[in-house]
Amino acid sequence: MAKGPESAVGRLSALVADIEAAAYARGQADARKEFLTALGAAAKPAPRPRRNKPPTERPVGKGRTNAGKRAPRGAVRTLIERALRDRPGSTPPEILDAAATDGEQLVKLPSIRIELYTGRREGRYESRGGRWSLVATPSSADDGASDAPGPPESGETASAATGDAPGENAEARQAESDGSQGRLGMNW
């Protein structure tokens, strides 16, 4: 008979342990829920903060007006050349403010800066103290006939185009070249 009371005590002890474990798990879940509610994160996880940008409020229903739109090909160069022709010595933001057409208004400031630096390397634009201008070319400076000699016209020789008589200064030009053109691979 000793076996009966000990088994009943053991079963009762196991039953109490199961009840305590279930109550402990419920208490743990309730405590977690209360903790998250107190932090305000019960409904959704907190948004990740953006670096170096303060959070901004956007009106509902209004997004970016030009979202996904790009300026048409060539609009950047057209805008820059027109703005610098009208007002030489402009800064990139001033060039951007000169946008008149719908296509030009889609141009972004970084695109203007890239075109200006590329155009400076190609000889289209020049910068002095952050102010940009078109490079003055002989044809754009005179707006007409140029004093610089052009290619020889039909029937003219190259020496007539330079103002030399045929054979005159030919020796001087040969002496200037010193024959180095052939060594460098330049045949001009």
Side-chain angles (χ1 to χ4, degrees), residues 46-59:
R48 293 174 49 188
R50 293 182 175 180
R51 293 183 182 168
N52 300 330
K53 287 187 178 181
T56 58
E57 295 283 331
R58 286 192 180 183

Side-chain angles (χ1 to χ4, degrees), residues 2-68:
K3 197 174 191 184
E6 288 179 5
S7 69
V9 171
R11 279 186 281 153
L12 188 60
S13 175
L15 185 60
V16 169
D18 289 340
I19 292 173
E20 284 178 345
Y24 182 79
R26 272 194 316 271
Q28 189 178 14
D30 290 343
R32 178 172 163 48
K33 185 177 178 182
E34 285 182 29
F35 182 73
L36 291 175
T37 304
L39 290 177
K44 60 181 177 178
R48 293 174 49 188
R50 293 182 175 180
R51 293 183 182 168
N52 300 330
K53 287 187 178 181
T56 58
E57 295 283 331
R58 286 192 180 183
V60 177
K62 289 189 175 181
R64 290 175 38 197
T65 57
N66 294 329

